[in-house]
Amino acid sequence: MTAHQPHTRITPGLADLPTEVDMVVIGLGVTGAGVALDAVSRGLTVLAVDAHDLAFGTSRFSSKLVHGGLRYLASGQVGIAHESAVERGILMETTAPHLTRPLPSLIPLSAGVSRPMGTLAGAGFLGGDLLRRAAGTSADTLPRPRRLSAAETRRLAPPLRTDGLRGAYLGWDGQLEDDARLVTTIARTAADRGAHVRTHARVVSATGDSRLAGARTSTSEFSVTLKDELTGATATVTTRTVVNAAGVWAGDLVDDVRLRPSRGTHLVLRAGTLPGLDVAVFAPIPGETNRFVLVLPQPDGQFYVGLTDEPVDGPIPDVAEPTEVEIGFLLDVVAASFARPLRREDVVGAFAGLRPLLDSGDDSTADLSRKHAVLTSPTGIVTIVGGKLTTYRRMAEDAVDAAVGHARLTAGPCVTATLPLAGAAPRETLADRAAKAGHPGEARLVRRYGADADLALEAAVRASGWDQDQLLAPIAEGISTVWAELFFGVTHEGAADVADLLDRRTRIGLIPDDRALAVPAAEKVLEIVRGER
C-alpha cells in the first residue's frame, strides 16, 4: 500500500474512513496509541480506533509516574525492573522530556519504621540507582539517592509527623504531567505521521481468513466492522493485520485471552491538606516490607494518594469505582505518617483503574507479574496485554514486530526509541521559555504542550476568534485550566463532548465539584467550534 498524506487531527466517528489499511489497532490507551505510532513510523498504513475515547480506560487512572522498576527489583523481577528503567530514561530524556519531570521521593524513618526496615528501604533506593545507571539515564535527569537527617527531612516535608523521626531516604523517579496527556500526545504524533486515529468508533467484529492466516501467507486479510458511536453508522475496513490493545477488555475480542484484572485506587486531596509538601512520601504499609502508600504532589497543587491492589471478579465495568474500604485503608496508612489527621472529608475526589494482568492462577493480584505478553490467535489477531504505562513503547514495539511477522508485511525497523513526541524539547529550553512567558496561562501551555504551546494557542485563536488574553485566562474560578486547552482539545485532539474535554483532555473531572464548575465552559467551546465547522 502507498502511504496516505498525514491527517494532522484526531477525529471522532467514522466520517471519511479509509476502506483498506495495513493494520487496524483496537484500543487507544497508551499501548494502542503506542502501537499506532510504532506502525505508522515504520511506513505502514494504520487505522487506530477506540469505542470511547483516548485514554478512556486504565491509562488515565495511573499514579502519573514513570517508574524505574524499584518494586519489581524488590520482588526479584530483575528483567522487568531493567526494562522499566530503560523505558523511563527514553521517556524522560528523548521522547517526552516536555511531559515528564524528576520527582523527589522520601521514605521517612519514623517511629513505626524499624531500623532493619529502614536499612532495607535505603538498600532499595541504592538498587534503584543501579538500575538508573544500567539504563544509561543521566544523574542530571535523576539525581543519586541519599540519606537525610531529621532536620533536613522536616524542611523538605513539613507536614510529616516528627515524633521519633530519625531522618529519611531521598530518592528520585519520573513523574508525568498527566497520563492522559501522554496518551493524547502519542496519538497526535501518530496522526501527524499519517495514522487514521478515530475515537467513538467501536469494533463490532474482526474476522480473518483462518486458512490464510494459519498458512502465514502474504495474502491473508481481515474484515473489520465498525460502528460510529456518535451517529450509529457502520463501516467495514479491510486490513492485513489486527492488533488488539483493548487492555482489560482484550478478552472480549479474543476468547482465549485470560486476564485477572486488579483495581488500583487513588484519592485526590486539595493542596491545603498537606501544606508545604513538595516531595512524594512513601508511607509504609503495616506488616509489609516493600509495599507503600504514596502521597504524590501534582503539577496543579493537588495530591494523589495511592494505591491499592485488589482483585476484580465478574464483568469488567467501563469505569471502575473506588470502594469505601479502599478509601479508608489509604487514609489510615497515610495518616500514620503525618502530623495532621486525614479525614474522609479531606478526600475531594477518588479514581480507580484496572490493570490488565495475565491470569497465572496466583491467589493475589499483587503477586502477578507485570511483564507484558504478545499473543497471536488462531485467526491471526495479535493481542498485547499486561505490562505498565512506563513500558508502553516496548510493548508496542513487540506487538508490531509480531503483527508484521505474522502477516509478512513489508515494514521498516522500529524507530520510536529515538522519535520525539509532538511538542518535545529539552527540559531546560522549556523551563526557560516558561520563565519568560508574559502570562501565567502561557507558562501553563508550555508545561502541558511543550514546544507546541504556540500551536495550541494559535489554533484556539482561529477556532474562537478571541484574543490571546481571553484564551489564556482560567475557565472558572479556582480552576487552572485555560480556555485555549479546551479549544485545542476539540480542534486537534478529537474531543467530541464534555466528558472528553473535562475527564481526559484535561483532568478537571477528577474532582466532581470542579467538574460541575467547568461544564458551562466545555459546552461553550463545543458550541463555538461546531459553529465554525
mmCIF file of all heavy atoms in Angstrom, residues 65 102-108 125 146 148 152-160 168-173 175 274-283 293-298 301-305 338:
data_model
loop_
_atom_site.group_PDB
_atom_site.id
_atom_site.type_symbol
_atom_site.label_atom_id
_atom_site.label_comp_id
_atom_site.label_asym_id
_atom_site.label_seq_id
_atom_site.Cartn_x
_atom_site.Cartn_y
_atom_site.Cartn_z
ATOM 1 N N LEU A 65 3.138 8.299 37.291
ATOM 2 C CA LEU A 65 4.567 8.136 37.500
ATOM 3 C C LEU A 65 5.202 7.434 36.307
ATOM 4 O O LEU A 65 4.549 6.652 35.615
ATOM 5 C CB LEU A 65 4.847 7.316 38.761
ATOM 6 C CG LEU A 65 4.446 7.946 40.095
ATOM 7 C CD1 LEU A 65 4.706 6.966 41.231
ATOM 8 C CD2 LEU A 65 5.201 9.249 40.323
ATOM 9 N N PRO A 102 11.582 15.117 36.953
ATOM 10 C CA PRO A 102 12.099 14.358 38.090
ATOM 11 C C PRO A 102 11.245 14.622 39.332
ATOM 12 O O PRO A 102 10.864 15.762 39.603
ATOM 13 C CB PRO A 102 13.516 14.910 38.278
ATOM 14 C CG PRO A 102 13.830 15.656 37.017
ATOM 15 C CD PRO A 102 12.521 16.151 36.499
ATOM 16 N N LEU A 103 10.959 13.578 40.087
ATOM 17 C CA LEU A 103 10.152 13.699 41.301
ATOM 18 C C LEU A 103 10.958 13.213 42.503
ATOM 19 O O LEU A 103 11.306 12.037 42.587
ATOM 20 C CB LEU A 103 8.872 12.868 41.184
ATOM 21 C CG LEU A 103 7.975 12.836 42.422
ATOM 22 C CD1 LEU A 103 7.348 14.213 42.669
ATOM 23 C CD2 LEU A 103 6.896 11.772 42.288
ATOM 24 N N PRO A 104 11.287 14.112 43.442
ATOM 25 C CA PRO A 104 11.953 13.661 44.666
ATOM 26 C C PRO A 104 10.978 12.896 45.552
ATOM 27 O O PRO A 104 9.814 13.278 45.689
ATOM 28 C CB PRO A 104 12.394 14.974 45.321
ATOM 29 C CG PRO A 104 11.458 16.015 44.780
ATOM 30 C CD PRO A 104 11.052 15.559 43.415
ATOM 31 N N SER A 105 11.454 11.805 46.129
ATOM 32 C CA SER A 105 10.603 10.932 46.937
ATOM 33 C C SER A 105 11.286 10.607 48.251
ATOM 34 O O SER A 105 12.482 10.298 48.273
ATOM 35 C CB SER A 105 10.310 9.632 46.180
ATOM 36 O OG SER A 105 9.761 9.889 44.906
ATOM 37 N N LEU A 106 10.530 10.641 49.338
ATOM 38 C CA LEU A 106 11.055 10.373 50.676
ATOM 39 C C LEU A 106 10.471 9.088 51.250
ATOM 40 O O LEU A 106 9.261 8.851 51.134
ATOM 41 C CB LEU A 106 10.691 11.498 51.645
ATOM 42 C CG LEU A 106 11.379 12.853 51.557
ATOM 43 C CD1 LEU A 106 10.842 13.744 52.666
ATOM 44 C CD2 LEU A 106 12.875 12.705 51.688
ATOM 45 N N ILE A 107 11.318 8.300 51.879
ATOM 46 C CA ILE A 107 10.854 7.251 52.794
ATOM 47 C C ILE A 107 11.226 7.713 54.196
ATOM 48 O O ILE A 107 12.405 7.676 54.580
ATOM 49 C CB ILE A 107 11.499 5.889 52.491
ATOM 50 C CG1 ILE A 107 11.110 5.412 51.099
ATOM 51 C CG2 ILE A 107 11.064 4.858 53.537
ATOM 52 C CD1 ILE A 107 11.687 4.046 50.744
ATOM 53 N N PRO A 108 10.258 8.226 54.979
ATOM 54 C CA PRO A 108 10.589 8.727 56.321
ATOM 55 C C PRO A 108 10.982 7.576 57.240
ATOM 56 O O PRO A 108 10.358 6.507 57.233
ATOM 57 C CB PRO A 108 9.283 9.373 56.785
ATOM 58 C CG PRO A 108 8.410 9.465 55.582
ATOM 59 C CD PRO A 108 8.839 8.387 54.658
ATOM 60 N N PHE A 125 16.609 2.006 47.518
ATOM 61 C CA PHE A 125 16.918 3.210 46.757
ATOM 62 C C PHE A 125 18.268 3.095 46.051
ATOM 63 O O PHE A 125 18.435 3.541 44.920
ATOM 64 C CB PHE A 125 16.908 4.430 47.678
ATOM 65 C CG PHE A 125 15.560 5.089 47.810
ATOM 66 C CD1 PHE A 125 14.440 4.564 47.188
ATOM 67 C CD2 PHE A 125 15.409 6.251 48.554
ATOM 68 C CE1 PHE A 125 13.200 5.167 47.310
ATOM 69 C CE2 PHE A 125 14.172 6.880 48.681
ATOM 70 C CZ PHE A 125 13.069 6.319 48.054
ATOM 71 N N ARG A 146 20.134 9.710 48.623
ATOM 72 C CA ARG A 146 20.995 9.963 49.783
ATOM 73 C C ARG A 146 20.170 9.904 51.065
ATOM 74 O O ARG A 146 18.938 9.973 51.041
ATOM 75 C CB ARG A 146 21.688 11.313 49.670
ATOM 76 C CG ARG A 146 20.788 12.536 49.675
ATOM 77 C CD ARG A 146 21.581 13.792 49.376
ATOM 78 N NE ARG A 146 20.765 14.992 49.407
ATOM 79 C CZ ARG A 146 20.637 15.781 50.481
ATOM 80 N NH1 ARG A 146 21.272 15.455 51.610
ATOM 81 N NH2 ARG A 146 19.903 16.863 50.444
ATOM 82 N N LEU A 148 18.970 11.509 54.576
ATOM 83 C CA LEU A 148 18.714 12.839 55.128
ATOM 84 C C LEU A 148 18.678 12.775 56.647
ATOM 85 O O LEU A 148 18.238 11.785 57.236
ATOM 86 C CB LEU A 148 17.371 13.385 54.634
ATOM 87 C CG LEU A 148 17.143 13.517 53.127
ATOM 88 C CD1 LEU A 148 15.751 14.062 52.869
ATOM 89 C CD2 LEU A 148 18.194 14.405 52.490
ATOM 90 N N GLU A 152 16.788 17.927 57.957
ATOM 91 C CA GLU A 152 16.598 18.051 56.507
ATOM 92 C C GLU A 152 15.227 17.504 56.099
ATOM 93 O O GLU A 152 14.547 18.075 55.239
ATOM 94 C CB GLU A 152 17.695 17.288 55.768
ATOM 95 C CG GLU A 152 19.068 17.921 55.835
ATOM 96 C CD GLU A 152 20.105 17.048 55.158
ATOM 97 O OE1 GLU A 152 20.214 15.846 55.514
ATOM 98 O OE2 GLU A 152 20.806 17.550 54.259
ATOM 99 N N THR A 153 14.834 16.420 56.703
ATOM 100 C CA THR A 153 13.549 15.803 56.383
ATOM 101 C C THR A 153 12.404 16.742 56.732
ATOM 102 O O THR A 153 11.458 16.908 55.951
ATOM 103 C CB THR A 153 13.390 14.473 57.139
ATOM 104 O OG1 THR A 153 14.489 13.613 56.820
ATOM 105 C CG2 THR A 153 12.091 13.788 56.759
ATOM 106 N N ARG A 154 12.480 17.379 57.889
ATOM 107 C CA ARG A 154 11.419 18.310 58.292
ATOM 108 C C ARG A 154 11.340 19.500 57.348
ATOM 109 O O ARG A 154 10.248 19.992 57.048
ATOM 110 C CB ARG A 154 11.639 18.778 59.732
ATOM 111 C CG ARG A 154 11.360 17.704 60.784
ATOM 112 C CD ARG A 154 11.302 18.299 62.186
ATOM 113 N NE ARG A 154 12.593 18.832 62.607
ATOM 114 C CZ ARG A 154 13.522 18.138 63.256
ATOM 115 N NH1 ARG A 154 13.295 16.871 63.568
ATOM 116 N NH2 ARG A 154 14.659 18.697 63.618
ATOM 117 N N ARG A 155 12.496 19.968 56.857
ATOM 118 C CA ARG A 155 12.479 21.103 55.920
ATOM 119 C C ARG A 155 11.856 20.712 54.580
ATOM 120 O O ARG A 155 11.128 21.498 53.984
ATOM 121 C CB ARG A 155 13.903 21.625 55.709
ATOM 122 C CG ARG A 155 14.435 22.459 56.866
ATOM 123 C CD ARG A 155 15.656 23.274 56.454
ATOM 124 N NE ARG A 155 16.772 22.420 56.063
ATOM 125 C CZ ARG A 155 17.696 21.970 56.905
ATOM 126 N NH1 ARG A 155 17.604 22.284 58.197
ATOM 127 N NH2 ARG A 155 18.690 21.225 56.473
ATOM 128 N N LEU A 156 12.153 19.525 54.112
ATOM 129 C CA LEU A 156 11.627 19.086 52.818
ATOM 130 C C LEU A 156 10.149 18.697 52.895
ATOM 131 O O LEU A 156 9.416 18.863 51.919
ATOM 132 C CB LEU A 156 12.421 17.885 52.298
ATOM 133 C CG LEU A 156 13.680 18.173 51.496
ATOM 134 C CD1 LEU A 156 14.380 16.875 51.126
ATOM 135 C CD2 LEU A 156 13.346 18.963 50.235
ATOM 136 N N ALA A 157 9.730 18.184 54.029
ATOM 137 C CA ALA A 157 8.357 17.689 54.166
ATOM 138 C C ALA A 157 7.778 18.151 55.498
ATOM 139 O O ALA A 157 7.660 17.367 56.451
ATOM 140 C CB ALA A 157 8.344 16.163 54.059
ATOM 141 N N PRO A 158 7.407 19.437 55.595
ATOM 142 C CA PRO A 158 6.925 19.994 56.871
ATOM 143 C C PRO A 158 5.729 19.272 57.488
ATOM 144 O O PRO A 158 5.633 19.222 58.723
ATOM 145 C CB PRO A 158 6.562 21.444 56.494
ATOM 146 C CG PRO A 158 7.362 21.744 55.273
ATOM 147 C CD PRO A 158 7.481 20.459 54.530
ATOM 148 N N PRO A 159 4.798 18.699 56.692
ATOM 149 C CA PRO A 159 3.628 18.092 57.353
ATOM 150 C C PRO A 159 3.891 16.739 57.998
ATOM 151 O O PRO A 159 3.000 16.186 58.639
ATOM 152 C CB PRO A 159 2.624 17.917 56.185
ATOM 153 C CG PRO A 159 3.138 18.726 55.061
ATOM 154 C CD PRO A 159 4.616 18.746 55.227
ATOM 155 N N LEU A 160 5.101 16.164 57.838
ATOM 156 C CA LEU A 160 5.359 14.842 58.405
ATOM 157 C C LEU A 160 5.246 14.851 59.931
ATOM 158 O O LEU A 160 5.551 15.846 60.593
ATOM 159 C CB LEU A 160 6.761 14.360 58.021
ATOM 160 C CG LEU A 160 6.966 13.803 56.621
ATOM 161 C CD1 LEU A 160 8.438 13.466 56.419
ATOM 162 C CD2 LEU A 160 6.102 12.568 56.377
ATOM 163 N N ALA A 168 15.344 10.375 56.825
ATOM 164 C CA ALA A 168 14.641 9.793 55.680
ATOM 165 C C ALA A 168 15.659 9.404 54.624
ATOM 166 O O ALA A 168 16.812 9.849 54.650
ATOM 167 C CB ALA A 168 13.633 10.782 55.097
ATOM 168 N N TYR A 169 15.207 8.589 53.689
ATOM 169 C CA TYR A 169 15.969 8.345 52.471
ATOM 170 C C TYR A 169 15.309 9.136 51.348
ATOM 171 O O TYR A 169 14.081 9.113 51.197
ATOM 172 C CB TYR A 169 16.007 6.861 52.129
ATOM 173 C CG TYR A 169 16.947 6.080 53.002
ATOM 174 C CD1 TYR A 169 16.461 5.278 54.028
ATOM 175 C CD2 TYR A 169 18.325 6.165 52.819
ATOM 176 C CE1 TYR A 169 17.316 4.565 54.854
ATOM 177 C CE2 TYR A 169 19.197 5.461 53.641
ATOM 178 C CZ TYR A 169 18.684 4.669 54.643
ATOM 179 O OH TYR A 169 19.547 3.979 55.458
ATOM 180 N N LEU A 170 16.117 9.844 50.584
ATOM 181 C CA LEU A 170 15.637 10.643 49.470
ATOM 182 C C LEU A 170 16.060 9.975 48.164
ATOM 183 O O LEU A 170 17.243 9.727 47.934
ATOM 184 C CB LEU A 170 16.221 12.058 49.533
ATOM 185 C CG LEU A 170 15.966 12.964 48.320
ATOM 186 C CD1 LEU A 170 14.484 13.300 48.214
ATOM 187 C CD2 LEU A 170 16.795 14.241 48.416
ATOM 188 N N GLY A 171 15.089 9.678 47.328
ATOM 189 C CA GLY A 171 15.357 9.104 46.011
ATOM 190 C C GLY A 171 14.621 9.878 44.944
ATOM 191 O O GLY A 171 13.890 10.839 45.244
ATOM 192 N N TRP A 172 14.796 9.473 43.701
ATOM 193 C CA TRP A 172 14.191 10.190 42.575
ATOM 194 C C TRP A 172 13.576 9.204 41.596
ATOM 195 O O TRP A 172 14.116 8.132 41.345
ATOM 196 C CB TRP A 172 15.240 11.033 41.849
ATOM 197 C CG TRP A 172 15.830 12.109 42.701
ATOM 198 C CD1 TRP A 172 16.803 11.981 43.652
ATOM 199 C CD2 TRP A 172 15.456 13.491 42.705
ATOM 200 N NE1 TRP A 172 17.070 13.184 44.248
ATOM 201 C CE2 TRP A 172 16.263 14.140 43.674
ATOM 202 C CE3 TRP A 172 14.538 14.247 41.963
ATOM 203 C CZ2 TRP A 172 16.160 15.504 43.941
ATOM 204 C CZ3 TRP A 172 14.443 15.605 42.226
ATOM 205 C CH2 TRP A 172 15.250 16.225 43.201
ATOM 206 N N ASP A 173 12.429 9.600 41.049
ATOM 207 C CA ASP A 173 11.795 8.828 39.991
ATOM 208 C C ASP A 173 11.199 9.817 38.998
ATOM 209 O O ASP A 173 11.330 11.039 39.168
ATOM 210 C CB ASP A 173 10.718 7.900 40.563
ATOM 211 C CG ASP A 173 10.583 6.587 39.795
ATOM 212 O OD1 ASP A 173 10.991 6.550 38.615
ATOM 213 O OD2 ASP A 173 10.083 5.606 40.369
ATOM 214 N N GLN A 175 7.976 11.589 36.934
ATOM 215 C CA GLN A 175 6.557 11.897 37.075
ATOM 216 C C GLN A 175 6.044 12.489 35.776
ATOM 217 O O GLN A 175 6.738 13.263 35.106
ATOM 218 C CB GLN A 175 6.319 12.890 38.217
ATOM 219 C CG GLN A 175 4.840 13.197 38.463
ATOM 220 C CD GLN A 175 4.631 14.171 39.610
ATOM 221 O OE1 GLN A 175 5.417 15.094 39.795
ATOM 222 N NE2 GLN A 175 3.588 13.967 40.389
ATOM 223 N N LEU A 274 -2.083 19.227 52.936
ATOM 224 C CA LEU A 274 -0.707 18.949 53.388
ATOM 225 C C LEU A 274 0.180 20.119 52.977
ATOM 226 O O LEU A 274 1.000 20.007 52.070
ATOM 227 C CB LEU A 274 -0.202 17.639 52.778
ATOM 228 C CG LEU A 274 -0.983 16.372 53.162
ATOM 229 C CD1 LEU A 274 -0.563 15.203 52.293
ATOM 230 C CD2 LEU A 274 -0.782 16.048 54.646
ATOM 231 N N PRO A 275 0.029 21.271 53.615
ATOM 232 C CA PRO A 275 0.731 22.483 53.181
ATOM 233 C C PRO A 275 2.252 22.345 53.251
ATOM 234 O O PRO A 275 2.795 21.774 54.194
ATOM 235 C CB PRO A 275 0.229 23.549 54.157
ATOM 236 C CG PRO A 275 -0.277 22.795 55.334
ATOM 237 C CD PRO A 275 -0.784 21.498 54.812
ATOM 238 N N GLY A 276 2.905 22.843 52.212
ATOM 239 C CA GLY A 276 4.358 22.853 52.186
ATOM 240 C C GLY A 276 4.998 21.577 51.686
ATOM 241 O O GLY A 276 6.229 21.486 51.617
ATOM 242 N N LEU A 277 4.194 20.583 51.312
ATOM 243 C CA LEU A 277 4.757 19.305 50.866
ATOM 244 C C LEU A 277 4.977 19.344 49.354
ATOM 245 O O LEU A 277 4.026 19.387 48.583
ATOM 246 C CB LEU A 277 3.824 18.151 51.230
ATOM 247 C CG LEU A 277 4.352 16.750 50.896
ATOM 248 C CD1 LEU A 277 5.605 16.442 51.704
ATOM 249 C CD2 LEU A 277 3.273 15.695 51.134
ATOM 250 N N ASP A 278 6.243 19.316 48.936
ATOM 251 C CA ASP A 278 6.582 19.356 47.517
ATOM 252 C C ASP A 278 7.285 18.089 47.052
ATOM 253 O O ASP A 278 7.722 17.997 45.905
ATOM 254 C CB ASP A 278 7.497 20.553 47.220
ATOM 255 C CG ASP A 278 6.800 21.884 47.479
ATOM 256 O OD1 ASP A 278 5.603 21.996 47.148
ATOM 257 O OD2 ASP A 278 7.448 22.796 48.029
ATOM 258 N N VAL A 279 7.430 17.118 47.936
ATOM 259 C CA VAL A 279 8.071 15.858 47.574
ATOM 260 C C VAL A 279 7.070 14.725 47.779
ATOM 261 O O VAL A 279 6.134 14.843 48.578
ATOM 262 C CB VAL A 279 9.331 15.597 48.426
ATOM 263 C CG1 VAL A 279 10.358 16.695 48.209
ATOM 264 C CG2 VAL A 279 8.978 15.472 49.908
ATOM 265 N N ALA A 280 7.277 13.637 47.058
ATOM 266 C CA ALA A 280 6.452 12.455 47.282
ATOM 267 C C ALA A 280 6.883 11.781 48.582
ATOM 268 O O ALA A 280 8.055 11.796 48.947
ATOM 269 C CB ALA A 280 6.593 11.487 46.119
ATOM 270 N N VAL A 281 5.913 11.198 49.260
ATOM 271 C CA VAL A 281 6.198 10.491 50.509
ATOM 272 C C VAL A 281 5.730 9.049 50.384
ATOM 273 O O VAL A 281 4.595 8.792 49.968
ATOM 274 C CB VAL A 281 5.514 11.166 51.710
ATOM 275 C CG1 VAL A 281 5.661 10.315 52.974
ATOM 276 C CG2 VAL A 281 6.101 12.560 51.950
ATOM 277 N N PHE A 282 6.624 8.114 50.732
ATOM 278 C CA PHE A 282 6.289 6.697 50.783
ATOM 279 C C PHE A 282 5.858 6.377 52.213
ATOM 280 O O PHE A 282 6.703 6.369 53.115
ATOM 281 C CB PHE A 282 7.501 5.842 50.422
ATOM 282 C CG PHE A 282 7.866 5.820 48.967
ATOM 283 C CD1 PHE A 282 8.035 6.998 48.247
ATOM 284 C CD2 PHE A 282 8.053 4.623 48.312
ATOM 285 C CE1 PHE A 282 8.391 6.977 46.914
ATOM 286 C CE2 PHE A 282 8.407 4.584 46.969
ATOM 287 C CZ PHE A 282 8.574 5.767 46.262
ATOM 288 N N ALA A 283 4.588 6.113 52.409
ATOM 289 C CA ALA A 283 4.095 5.748 53.735
ATOM 290 C C ALA A 283 4.061 4.225 53.837
ATOM 291 O O ALA A 283 3.358 3.573 53.059
ATOM 292 C CB ALA A 283 2.700 6.330 53.966
ATOM 293 N N VAL A 293 2.101 3.137 50.597
ATOM 294 C CA VAL A 293 1.103 4.041 50.010
ATOM 295 C C VAL A 293 1.836 5.327 49.680
ATOM 296 O O VAL A 293 2.578 5.870 50.506
ATOM 297 C CB VAL A 293 -0.064 4.286 50.978
ATOM 298 C CG1 VAL A 293 -0.950 5.427 50.461
ATOM 299 C CG2 VAL A 293 -0.895 3.018 51.141
ATOM 300 N N LEU A 294 1.652 5.834 48.472
ATOM 301 C CA LEU A 294 2.380 7.007 48.013
ATOM 302 C C LEU A 294 1.511 8.250 48.120
ATOM 303 O O LEU A 294 0.328 8.242 47.758
ATOM 304 C CB LEU A 294 2.817 6.823 46.556
ATOM 305 C CG LEU A 294 3.584 5.553 46.213
ATOM 306 C CD1 LEU A 294 4.050 5.602 44.760
ATOM 307 C CD2 LEU A 294 4.759 5.358 47.144
ATOM 308 N N VAL A 295 2.100 9.328 48.592
ATOM 309 C CA VAL A 295 1.477 10.648 48.581
ATOM 310 C C VAL A 295 2.220 11.445 47.514
ATOM 311 O O VAL A 295 3.409 11.739 47.671
ATOM 312 C CB VAL A 295 1.569 11.334 49.947
ATOM 313 C CG1 VAL A 295 0.910 12.705 49.901
ATOM 314 C CG2 VAL A 295 0.919 10.461 51.022
ATOM 315 N N LEU A 296 1.515 11.796 46.444
ATOM 316 C CA LEU A 296 2.168 12.320 45.246
ATOM 317 C C LEU A 296 1.696 13.737 44.943
ATOM 318 O O LEU A 296 0.541 13.952 44.558
ATOM 319 C CB LEU A 296 1.850 11.413 44.045
ATOM 320 C CG LEU A 296 2.281 9.948 44.216
ATOM 321 C CD1 LEU A 296 1.614 9.075 43.167
ATOM 322 C CD2 LEU A 296 3.789 9.834 44.141
ATOM 323 N N PRO A 297 2.555 14.752 45.099
ATOM 324 C CA PRO A 297 2.176 16.129 44.731
ATOM 325 C C PRO A 297 2.021 16.229 43.220
ATOM 326 O O PRO A 297 2.789 15.646 42.454
ATOM 327 C CB PRO A 297 3.354 16.962 45.229
ATOM 328 C CG PRO A 297 4.506 16.016 45.309
ATOM 329 C CD PRO A 297 3.937 14.665 45.612
ATOM 330 N N GLN A 298 1.017 16.976 42.788
ATOM 331 C CA GLN A 298 0.700 17.106 41.364
ATOM 332 C C GLN A 298 0.994 18.522 40.854
ATOM 333 O O GLN A 298 1.049 19.475 41.632
ATOM 334 C CB GLN A 298 -0.770 16.772 41.124
ATOM 335 C CG GLN A 298 -1.137 15.351 41.507
ATOM 336 C CD GLN A 298 -0.301 14.320 40.790
ATOM 337 O OE1 GLN A 298 -0.217 14.319 39.563
ATOM 338 N NE2 GLN A 298 0.332 13.425 41.546
ATOM 339 N N GLY A 301 -1.119 21.417 42.109
ATOM 340 C CA GLY A 301 -1.206 21.669 43.539
ATOM 341 C C GLY A 301 -1.981 20.643 44.345
ATOM 342 O O GLY A 301 -2.005 20.726 45.570
ATOM 343 N N GLN A 302 -2.622 19.694 43.680
ATOM 344 C CA GLN A 302 -3.331 18.666 44.428
ATOM 345 C C GLN A 302 -2.358 17.559 44.831
ATOM 346 O O GLN A 302 -1.195 17.566 44.475
ATOM 347 C CB GLN A 302 -4.455 18.082 43.564
ATOM 348 C CG GLN A 302 -5.502 19.102 43.156
ATOM 349 C CD GLN A 302 -5.994 18.878 41.739
ATOM 350 O OE1 GLN A 302 -5.618 17.934 41.064
ATOM 351 N NE2 GLN A 302 -6.840 19.784 41.267
ATOM 352 N N PHE A 303 -2.889 16.595 45.580
ATOM 353 C CA PHE A 303 -2.138 15.389 45.920
ATOM 354 C C PHE A 303 -2.951 14.172 45.511
ATOM 355 O O PHE A 303 -4.176 14.147 45.682
ATOM 356 C CB PHE A 303 -1.868 15.309 47.432
ATOM 357 C CG PHE A 303 -0.974 16.399 47.948
ATOM 358 C CD1 PHE A 303 -1.510 17.541 48.524
ATOM 359 C CD2 PHE A 303 0.407 16.285 47.860
ATOM 360 C CE1 PHE A 303 -0.686 18.551 49.000
ATOM 361 C CE2 PHE A 303 1.237 17.289 48.331
ATOM 362 C CZ PHE A 303 0.690 18.428 48.898
ATOM 363 N N TYR A 304 -2.256 13.170 44.988
ATOM 364 C CA TYR A 304 -2.868 11.868 44.777
ATOM 365 C C TYR A 304 -2.292 10.922 45.826
ATOM 366 O O TYR A 304 -1.082 10.925 46.084
ATOM 367 C CB TYR A 304 -2.580 11.315 43.382
ATOM 368 C CG TYR A 304 -3.136 12.143 42.250
ATOM 369 C CD1 TYR A 304 -2.582 12.066 40.981
ATOM 370 C CD2 TYR A 304 -4.223 13.002 42.439
ATOM 371 C CE1 TYR A 304 -3.080 12.818 39.924
ATOM 372 C CE2 TYR A 304 -4.726 13.770 41.407
ATOM 373 C CZ TYR A 304 -4.145 13.672 40.144
ATOM 374 O OH TYR A 304 -4.636 14.424 39.109
ATOM 375 N N VAL A 305 -3.155 10.115 46.415
ATOM 376 C CA VAL A 305 -2.748 9.144 47.425
ATOM 377 C C VAL A 305 -3.134 7.760 46.925
ATOM 378 O O VAL A 305 -4.308 7.503 46.632
ATOM 379 C CB VAL A 305 -3.435 9.428 48.781
ATOM 380 C CG1 VAL A 305 -3.083 8.348 49.792
ATOM 381 C CG2 VAL A 305 -3.033 10.800 49.309
ATOM 382 N N PHE A 338 1.737 11.471 59.011
ATOM 383 C CA PHE A 338 1.607 12.921 59.008
ATOM 384 C C PHE A 338 1.053 13.440 60.324
ATOM 385 O O PHE A 338 0.273 12.768 61.006
ATOM 386 C CB PHE A 338 0.717 13.375 57.853
ATOM 387 C CG PHE A 338 1.367 13.187 56.509
ATOM 388 C CD1 PHE A 338 1.182 12.018 55.797
ATOM 389 C CD2 PHE A 338 2.197 14.161 55.986
ATOM 390 C CE1 PHE A 338 1.804 11.827 54.569
ATOM 391 C CE2 PHE A 338 2.819 13.989 54.757
ATOM 392 C CZ PHE A 338 2.627 12.813 54.054
#
